[in-house]
Amino acid sequence: MLLIGNHPGPPVVVDLCCGSGAVGAAIIREFPDVELHAADIDPAAVQCSRRNIESVGGHVHAGDLFEALPPALRGRVRVLTVNAPYVPTEAIGTMPPEARLYEPVVSLDGGPDGLDFHRRIAAEGIRWLASGGYLLIETSQRQVAGTSEILAAAGFAVRTAHSEELDGTVVVGRLGAERV
Ligand SMILES: C[S@@+](CC[C@H](N)C(=O)[O-])C[C@H]1O[C@@H](n2cnc3c(N)ncnc32)[C@H](O)[C@@H]1O
């Protein structure tokens, strides 16, 4: 999957909304030759991910979504992984206490329908992905249709993957070989 595009050098992988950096660290462990960049807006998350990612050769950036990334990565990203906040604002109060009381709101609140970040990431992501690049975005079973429609409308070819064991759902979008 990573051997796509024509850019020289190691494949660029970006993990946006990286939190502690667990996803990026797992990617480097599995694919040690990638150039891994991770970014988050929360200073505590950035500090934590620096410990987990820079120690294994990755790069960590602070800021609002793509604004955090070095401009030189534009059009070069082969794989973009994202677990952005996707809880609808009004549903935050109904979450289990371990999330509601101990997770910062900035890591949960996805706006009125929970999909505000998915809209921004689909629209802005096409300018950062290489031709043929992949966007993998975590969502919920209830929101999978909405996330899929957002990616399709932005020009991605879309499929979904679900793990019963992990109770995890990911929408996978591939940007066509022709830039859209
Ligand atoms: C649901 S958590 C996911 C954390 C991590 N990726 C994981 O899977 O464990 C969402 C993360 O998005 C970050 N975040 C929220 N708004 C952001 C923004 N505008 N730009 C970048 N990161 C943001 C939060 O700080 C939080 O770390």
Side-chain angles (χ1 to χ4, degrees):
M1 181 173 89
L2 296 173
L3 299 175
I4 53 177
N6 296 318
H7 289 279
V12 173
V13 177
V14 169
D15 181 36
L16 272 193
C17 303
C18 66
S20 66
V23 173
I27 290 171
I28 292 184
R29 185 183 169 95
E30 192 71 20
F31 302 101
D33 294 334
V34 302
E35 179 183 331
L36 191 285
H37 294 260
D40 202 284
I41 201 168
D42 179 354
V46 170
Q47 190 181 11
C48 185
S49 62
R50 287 211 157 109
R51 281 202 300 274
N52 290 327
I53 287 183
E54 291 181 346
S55 59
V56 289
H59 311 272
V60 178
H61 313 281
D64 181 17
L65 296 186
F66 296 95
E67 284 177 16
L69 299 177
L73 295 184
R74 197 179 274 256
R76 290 184 50 218
V77 178
R78 312 270 185 101
V79 178
L80 173 59
T81 60
V82 187
N83 180 9
Y86 57 82
V87 182
T89 307
E90 288 196 352
I92 292 173
T94 67
M95 295 186 77
E98 62 270 23
R100 183 165 37 85
L101 301 178
Y102 298 105
E103 290 279 348
V105 172
V106 71
S107 76
L108 301 172
D109 191 351
D113 66 353
L115 300 177
D116 280 2
F117 281 97
H118 296 184
R119 291 186 187 90
R120 284 184 61 195
I121 289 157
E124 296 173 34
I126 58 175
R127 294 195 284 276
W128 291 83
L129 283 163
S131 187
Y134 288 87
L135 166 60
L136 289 80
I137 191 160
E138 178 174 320
T139 191
S140 69
Q141 281 286 75
R142 196 168 51 78
Q143 292 161 301
V144 70
T147 304
S148 299
E149 281 168 23
I150 288 166
L151 266 60
F156 289 90
V158 173
R159 67 183 171 85
T160 63
H162 178 73
S163 165
E164 290 293 340
E165 184 188 357
L166 301 174
D167 190 23
T169 303
V170 173
V171 175
V172 182
R174 187 174 188 211
L175 203 56
E178 300 297 322
R179 297 304 298 268
V180 291

